[in-house]
Amino acid sequence: MGSSQSTTLDPKIKEIFSHRRLETDMEARSLYKGQQTAQHYAAHRPGYPPEMFDIIMSYHKQVKTSGHELAVDVCCGTGQSTIPLTKLFRQVVGADVSEDQLQNLPKDVPNLTSFVGLAEDLNMIETGTVDLVTIATGLHWVNVDKYCIVIAFICVCV
């Protein structure tokens, strides 16, 4: 990630999400460990209404690039917010710290790829290639300052 872009997070947003931050990589990786936990999560974690994706795409049309090439869903878990994106983008990447969660993503989605990794370390994504990044309900688990810097590097629209 070779650019020197600067990203500043709105202090109000930063305050909202600073109350719970995982301090170590190991702490993050232990949250959803185990196949039984991941299978239960996949079976019982509710999905998102289609209207949410309509709103996301409405906003997406307004930004500098409204491309539909690559979307990245961070903290994707078992895919509740990832799978709907596969109908809207040519390629979708799901990233999560839990390999067990990722193993419970649907296997029959040809335009879906997944990676095990922290939200703050998306070095598997080429700089300046991402049209949309989502993090449905995982922002409170990440280091928001680092995450925003990473997103600034990988996004086309920043």
Side-chain angles (χ1 to χ4, degrees), residues 39-96:
Q39 289 167 354
H40 181 80
Y41 189 90
H44 300 288
R45 171 73 166 84
Y48 296 93
E51 295 82 11
M52 183 182 90
F53 296 95
D54 293 342
I55 292 168
I56 290 170
M57 296 311 291
S58 174
Y59 170 76
H60 182 63
K61 289 177 187 173
Q62 298 173 28
V63 296
K64 192 187 302 184
T65 176
S66 60
H68 290 88
E69 289 299 310
L70 177 60
V72 176
D73 188 25
V74 181
C75 299
C76 71
T78 58
Q80 287 77 4
S81 61
T82 315
I83 300 307
L85 294 173
T86 63
K87 297 175 181 83
L88 303 168
F89 288 84
R90 191 177 69 74
Q91 183 66 36
V92 175
V93 174
D96 200 282

Coordinates of all heavy atoms in Angstrom, one line a residue, residues 39-96:
Q39 N -21.2 -22.7 12.8 CA -22.4 -23.3 12.2 C -23.6 -22.7 12.9 O -24.6 -22.5 12.2 CB -22.3 -24.8 12.4 CG -21.3 -25.5 11.5 CD -21.0 -26.9 11.8 OE1 -21.5 -27.5 12.8 NE2 -20.2 -27.6 11.0
H40 N -23.6 -22.6 14.2 CA -24.7 -22.0 14.9 C -24.9 -20.5 14.4 O -26.1 -20.1 14.1 CB -24.5 -22.0 16.4 CG -25.6 -21.4 17.2 ND1 -26.8 -22.1 17.5 CD2 -25.8 -20.2 17.7 CE1 -27.6 -21.4 18.2 NE2 -27.0 -20.2 18.4
Y41 N -23.9 -19.8 14.3 CA -23.9 -18.4 13.8 C -24.5 -18.4 12.4 O -25.4 -17.6 12.1 CB -22.5 -17.8 13.8 CG -22.4 -16.4 13.5 CD1 -22.5 -15.4 14.5 CD2 -22.3 -15.9 12.2 CE1 -22.4 -14.1 14.3 CE2 -22.2 -14.5 12.0 CZ -22.2 -13.6 13.0 OH -22.2 -12.3 12.8
A42 N -24.1 -19.3 11.5 CA -24.6 -19.3 10.1 C -26.1 -19.6 10.1 O -26.8 -19.1 9.3 CB -23.8 -20.3 9.3
A43 N -26.5 -20.5 10.9 CA -27.9 -21.0 10.9 C -28.8 -19.9 11.6 O -30.0 -19.8 11.2 CB -28.0 -22.3 11.7
H44 N -28.3 -19.2 12.5 CA -29.3 -18.4 13.3 C -29.0 -16.9 13.3 O -29.9 -16.1 13.7 CB -29.2 -18.8 14.8 CG -29.6 -20.2 15.0 ND1 -30.9 -20.7 14.8 CD2 -28.9 -21.3 15.2 CE1 -30.9 -22.0 15.0 NE2 -29.7 -22.4 15.2
R45 N -27.9 -16.4 12.7 CA -27.7 -15.0 12.6 C -28.6 -14.5 11.5 O -28.5 -14.9 10.4 CB -26.2 -14.7 12.2 CG -25.8 -13.3 11.9 CD -25.9 -12.4 13.1 NE -25.2 -11.2 12.8 CZ -25.8 -10.1 12.3 NH1 -27.1 -10.2 11.9 NH2 -25.2 -9.0 12.1
P46 N -29.4 -13.5 11.8 CA -30.3 -13.0 10.8 C -29.6 -12.3 9.6 O -28.5 -11.7 9.9 CB -31.3 -12.0 11.5 CG -30.8 -11.9 12.9 CD -29.7 -12.9 13.1
G47 N -30.2 -12.3 8.5 CA -29.6 -11.6 7.4 C -30.1 -10.1 7.4 O -30.6 -9.6 8.4
Y48 N -29.8 -9.4 6.3 CA -30.2 -8.0 6.2 C -31.3 -7.9 5.2 O -31.3 -8.6 4.2 CB -29.0 -7.2 5.8 CG -27.9 -7.2 6.9 CD1 -26.9 -8.2 6.9 CD2 -28.0 -6.4 8.0 CE1 -26.0 -8.3 7.9 CE2 -27.1 -6.4 9.0 CZ -26.0 -7.4 8.9 OH -25.1 -7.5 9.9
P49 N -32.2 -6.9 5.4 CA -33.3 -6.7 4.4 C -32.7 -6.2 3.1 O -31.8 -5.4 3.1 CB -34.2 -5.7 5.1 CG -33.3 -5.0 6.1 CD -32.3 -6.0 6.5
P50 N -33.4 -6.5 2.0 CA -32.9 -6.0 0.7 C -32.9 -4.5 0.6 O -32.0 -3.9 -0.1 CB -34.0 -6.5 -0.3 CG -34.6 -7.7 0.4 CD -34.5 -7.4 1.8
E51 N -33.7 -3.8 1.4 CA -33.8 -2.4 1.4 C -32.4 -1.8 1.9 O -32.0 -0.7 1.4 CB -34.9 -1.8 2.3 CG -36.3 -2.2 1.8 CD -36.7 -3.6 2.2 OE1 -36.1 -4.3 3.0 OE2 -37.8 -4.0 1.6
M52 N -31.7 -2.5 2.7 CA -30.4 -2.0 3.2 C -29.5 -1.9 2.0 O -28.7 -0.9 1.8 CB -29.8 -2.9 4.3 CG -28.5 -2.3 4.8 SD -27.8 -3.4 6.0 CE -26.8 -4.4 5.0
F53 N -29.5 -2.9 1.1 CA -28.6 -2.9 0.0 C -29.0 -1.9 -1.1 O -28.2 -1.3 -1.7 CB -28.5 -4.3 -0.6 CG -27.8 -5.2 0.4 CD1 -28.6 -6.0 1.2 CD2 -26.4 -5.2 0.5 CE1 -28.0 -6.8 2.2 CE2 -25.8 -6.0 1.5 CZ -26.6 -6.8 2.3
D54 N -30.3 -1.6 -1.1 CA -30.8 -0.5 -2.0 C -30.3 0.8 -1.5 O -29.8 1.6 -2.4 CB -32.4 -0.5 -2.0 CG -33.0 -1.7 -2.6 OD1 -32.3 -2.4 -3.4 OD2 -34.2 -1.9 -2.3
I55 N -30.3 1.0 -0.2 CA -29.7 2.3 0.3 C -28.2 2.4 0.1 O -27.7 3.4 -0.4 CB -30.0 2.4 1.8 CG1 -31.5 2.6 2.0 CG2 -29.3 3.5 2.5 CD1 -32.0 2.4 3.5
I56 N -27.5 1.3 0.3 CA -26.1 1.3 0.0 C -25.8 1.6 -1.4 O -24.9 2.4 -1.7 CB -25.4 -0.1 0.4 CG1 -25.5 -0.3 2.0 CG2 -24.0 -0.2 -0.1 CD1 -25.1 -1.6 2.4
M57 N -26.5 1.0 -2.3 CA -26.3 1.2 -3.8 C -26.7 2.6 -4.2 O -26.1 3.2 -5.1 CB -26.9 0.1 -4.6 CG -26.4 -1.3 -4.3 SD -24.5 -1.4 -4.4 CE -24.3 -1.2 -6.1
S58 N -27.7 3.1 -3.6 CA -28.1 4.5 -3.9 C -27.0 5.5 -3.5 O -26.7 6.4 -4.3 CB -29.4 4.8 -3.1 OG -29.7 6.2 -3.3
Y59 N -26.4 5.3 -2.4 CA -25.2 6.1 -2.0 C -24.1 5.8 -2.9 O -23.4 6.7 -3.4 CB -24.8 5.8 -0.5 CG -23.5 6.4 -0.2 CD1 -23.4 7.8 0.0 CD2 -22.3 5.7 -0.2 CE1 -22.2 8.4 0.3 CE2 -21.1 6.3 0.1 CZ -21.1 7.7 0.3 OH -19.9 8.3 0.6
H60 N -23.8 4.6 -3.2 CA -22.7 4.2 -4.1 C -22.8 4.9 -5.5 O -21.8 5.3 -6.0 CB -22.7 2.7 -4.3 CG -21.6 2.2 -5.1 ND1 -20.2 2.3 -4.7 CD2 -21.5 1.5 -6.3 CE1 -19.5 1.8 -5.6 NE2 -20.2 1.3 -6.6
K61 N -24.0 5.1 -6.0 CA -24.2 5.8 -7.3 C -23.7 7.2 -7.2 O -23.4 7.9 -8.2 CB -25.6 5.7 -7.7 CG -26.0 4.3 -8.2 CD -27.5 4.3 -8.5 CE -27.9 2.9 -8.8 NZ -29.4 2.8 -9.0
Q62 N -23.7 7.8 -6.0 CA -23.4 9.2 -5.8 C -21.9 9.5 -5.6 O -21.5 10.7 -5.7 CB -24.1 9.8 -4.6 CG -25.6 9.7 -4.7 CD -26.3 10.1 -3.5 OE1 -25.8 10.9 -2.7 NE2 -27.5 9.6 -3.3
V63 N -21.1 8.5 -5.4 CA -19.7 8.7 -5.1 C -18.9 8.8 -6.4 O -19.4 8.5 -7.5 CB -19.1 7.6 -4.2 CG1 -19.7 7.7 -2.9 CG2 -19.2 6.3 -4.8
K64 N -17.6 9.3 -6.3 CA -16.8 9.5 -7.5 C -16.8 8.4 -8.5 O -16.8 8.6 -9.7 CB -15.4 9.8 -7.0 CG -14.5 10.4 -8.0 CD -13.0 10.5 -7.6 CE -12.8 11.3 -6.4 NZ -11.4 11.5 -6.0
T65 N -16.7 7.2 -8.0 CA -16.8 6.0 -8.9 C -17.9 5.2 -8.5 O -18.1 5.0 -7.3 CB -15.5 5.2 -8.9 OG1 -15.7 4.0 -9.7 CG2 -15.1 4.7 -7.5
S66 N -18.7 4.8 -9.4 CA -19.9 4.0 -9.1 C -19.7 2.6 -9.7 O -20.6 1.9 -10.1 CB -21.2 4.6 -9.5 OG -21.2 4.8 -10.9
G67 N -18.4 2.2 -9.8 CA -18.1 0.9 -10.4 C -18.7 -0.3 -9.7 O -19.1 -0.2 -8.5
H68 N -18.9 -1.4 -10.4 CA -19.4 -2.6 -9.8 C -18.5 -3.8 -10.0 O -18.9 -4.9 -10.2 CB -20.8 -2.9 -10.5 CG -21.8 -1.9 -10.1 ND1 -22.1 -0.7 -10.7 CD2 -22.7 -1.9 -9.0 CE1 -23.0 -0.1 -10.1 NE2 -23.4 -0.8 -9.1
E69 N -17.2 -3.5 -10.0 CA -16.2 -4.5 -10.2 C -15.9 -5.3 -8.9 O -16.0 -6.5 -8.9 CB -14.9 -3.9 -10.8 CG -15.0 -3.4 -12.2 CD -15.3 -4.5 -13.2 OE1 -14.7 -5.6 -13.1 OE2 -16.3 -4.4 -13.9
L70 N -15.5 -4.6 -7.9 CA -15.0 -5.3 -6.7 C -15.6 -4.7 -5.4 O -15.5 -3.5 -5.2 CB -13.5 -5.2 -6.6 CG -12.9 -5.9 -5.4 CD1 -13.2 -7.3 -5.2 CD2 -11.3 -5.7 -5.4
A71 N -16.3 -5.5 -4.6 CA -16.7 -5.1 -3.3 C -16.0 -6.0 -2.2 O -15.7 -7.2 -2.5 CB -18.2 -5.3 -3.1
V72 N -15.7 -5.4 -1.1 CA -15.0 -6.1 0.0 C -15.9 -6.0 1.2 O -16.3 -4.9 1.6 CB -13.6 -5.6 0.3 CG1 -13.0 -6.3 1.5 CG2 -12.7 -5.7 -0.9
D73 N -16.3 -7.1 1.8 CA -17.1 -7.2 3.0 C -16.2 -7.6 4.1 O -15.8 -8.7 4.2 CB -18.3 -8.1 2.9 CG -19.3 -8.0 4.0 OD1 -19.3 -7.0 4.7 OD2 -20.0 -9.0 4.3
V74 N -15.9 -6.7 5.0 CA -15.0 -6.9 6.1 C -15.7 -7.4 7.4 O -16.9 -6.9 7.6 CB -14.2 -5.6 6.4 CG1 -13.2 -5.8 7.6 CG2 -13.5 -5.1 5.2
C75 N -15.1 -8.2 8.1 CA -15.8 -8.9 9.3 C -17.1 -9.6 8.8 O -18.2 -9.5 9.3 CB -16.2 -7.9 10.4 SG -14.8 -7.0 11.1
C76 N -16.9 -10.3 7.7 CA -18.0 -10.9 7.0 C -18.7 -12.1 7.7 O -19.8 -12.5 7.3 CB -17.6 -11.3 5.6 SG -16.5 -12.7 5.5
G77 N -18.0 -12.7 8.6 CA -18.6 -13.8 9.3 C -19.0 -14.9 8.3 O -18.2 -15.3 7.5
T78 N -20.2 -15.4 8.4 CA -20.7 -16.5 7.5 C -21.4 -16.0 6.3 O -22.0 -16.7 5.6 CB -21.5 -17.5 8.3 OG1 -22.6 -16.8 8.9 CG2 -20.7 -18.2 9.4
G79 N -21.3 -14.7 6.0 CA -21.8 -14.1 4.8 C -23.1 -13.4 4.7 O -23.7 -13.2 3.7
Q80 N -23.7 -13.1 5.9 CA -25.1 -12.5 5.9 C -25.1 -11.2 5.1 O -26.1 -10.9 4.4 CB -25.5 -12.2 7.3 CG -26.0 -13.5 8.0 CD -24.8 -14.3 8.6 OE1 -23.6 -13.9 8.4 NE2 -25.1 -15.4 9.1
S81 N -24.0 -10.4 5.1 CA -24.0 -9.2 4.3 C -23.1 -9.4 3.0 O -23.1 -8.5 2.2 CB -23.5 -8.0 5.1 OG -22.2 -8.3 5.6
T82 N -22.4 -10.5 2.9 CA -21.6 -10.7 1.8 C -22.3 -11.2 0.6 O -22.1 -10.8 -0.5 CB -20.5 -11.7 2.2 OG1 -19.9 -11.4 3.5 CG2 -19.4 -11.8 1.2
I83 N -23.1 -12.2 0.8 CA -23.8 -12.9 -0.3 C -24.7 -12.0 -1.1 O -24.7 -12.0 -2.3 CB -24.7 -14.1 0.3 CG1 -23.7 -15.1 0.9 CG2 -25.5 -14.8 -0.9 CD1 -22.5 -15.6 0.1
P84 N -25.5 -11.0 -0.5 CA -26.3 -10.1 -1.3 C -25.4 -9.2 -2.2 O -25.8 -8.9 -3.3 CB -27.0 -9.2 -0.3 CG -27.1 -10.1 0.9 CD -25.8 -10.9 0.9
L85 N -24.2 -9.0 -1.8 CA -23.2 -8.2 -2.7 C -22.8 -8.9 -3.9 O -22.5 -8.3 -4.9 CB -22.0 -7.8 -1.9 CG -22.2 -6.8 -0.7 CD1 -21.0 -6.6 0.1 CD2 -22.8 -5.5 -1.2
T86 N -22.9 -10.3 -3.9 CA -22.4 -11.0 -5.1 C -23.4 -10.8 -6.2 O -23.0 -11.1 -7.4 CB -22.3 -12.5 -4.7 OG1 -23.6 -13.1 -4.4 CG2 -21.3 -12.8 -3.6
K87 N -24.6 -10.4 -6.0 CA -25.6 -10.1 -7.0 C -25.4 -8.7 -7.6 O -25.9 -8.4 -8.6 CB -27.0 -10.3 -6.5 CG -27.3 -11.7 -6.1 CD -28.7 -11.8 -5.5 CE -29.0 -13.2 -5.0 NZ -28.4 -13.5 -3.7
L88 N -24.6 -7.9 -6.9 CA -24.4 -6.5 -7.3 C -23.0 -6.1 -7.9 O -22.9 -5.1 -8.5 CB -24.7 -5.6 -6.1 CG -26.1 -5.8 -5.4 CD1 -26.1 -5.1 -4.1 CD2 -27.2 -5.3 -6.4
F89 N -22.0 -7.0 -7.6 CA -20.7 -6.8 -8.0 C -20.1 -8.0 -8.8 O -20.5 -9.1 -8.5 CB -19.8 -6.4 -6.8 CG -20.1 -5.1 -6.3 CD1 -21.1 -4.9 -5.4 CD2 -19.4 -3.9 -6.7 CE1 -21.4 -3.6 -4.9 CE2 -19.7 -2.7 -6.2 CZ -20.7 -2.5 -5.3
R90 N -19.2 -7.7 -9.7 CA -18.6 -8.7 -10.5 C -17.8 -9.7 -9.6 O -17.8 -10.9 -9.8 CB -17.7 -8.2 -11.6 CG -17.2 -9.2 -12.6 CD -16.4 -8.6 -13.7 NE -15.1 -8.1 -13.2 CZ -14.1 -8.9 -12.9 NH1 -14.2 -10.2 -13.0 NH2 -12.9 -8.4 -12.5
Q91 N -17.1 -9.1 -8.6 CA -16.3 -9.9 -7.7 C -16.5 -9.4 -6.3 O -16.5 -8.2 -6.1 CB -14.8 -9.9 -8.0 CG -13.9 -10.7 -7.2 CD -14.1 -12.2 -7.4 OE1 -14.4 -12.7 -8.4 NE2 -14.0 -13.0 -6.3
V92 N -16.6 -10.3 -5.3 CA -16.8 -9.9 -3.9 C -15.8 -10.7 -3.1 O -15.6 -11.9 -3.3 CB -18.2 -10.2 -3.4 CG1 -18.3 -9.9 -1.9 CG2 -19.2 -9.4 -4.2
V93 N -15.1 -10.0 -2.2 CA -14.2 -10.6 -1.2 C -14.8 -10.5 0.2 O -15.1 -9.4 0.6 CB -12.8 -9.9 -1.3 CG1 -11.9 -10.4 -0.2 CG2 -12.2 -10.1 -2.7
G94 N -14.8 -11.6 0.9 CA -15.2 -11.6 2.3 C -14.0 -11.8 3.1 O -13.2 -12.7 2.8
A95 N -13.8 -10.9 4.1 CA -12.6 -11.0 5.0 C -13.1 -11.1 6.4 O -14.0 -10.4 6.9 CB -11.7 -9.8 4.8
D96 N -12.5 -12.0 7.2 CA -12.8 -12.2 8.6 C -11.7 -12.8 9.3 O -10.8 -13.5 8.7 CB -14.1 -13.1 8.7 CG -14.8 -13.0 10.0 OD1 -14.3 -13.5 11.0 OD2 -15.8 -12.3 10.1

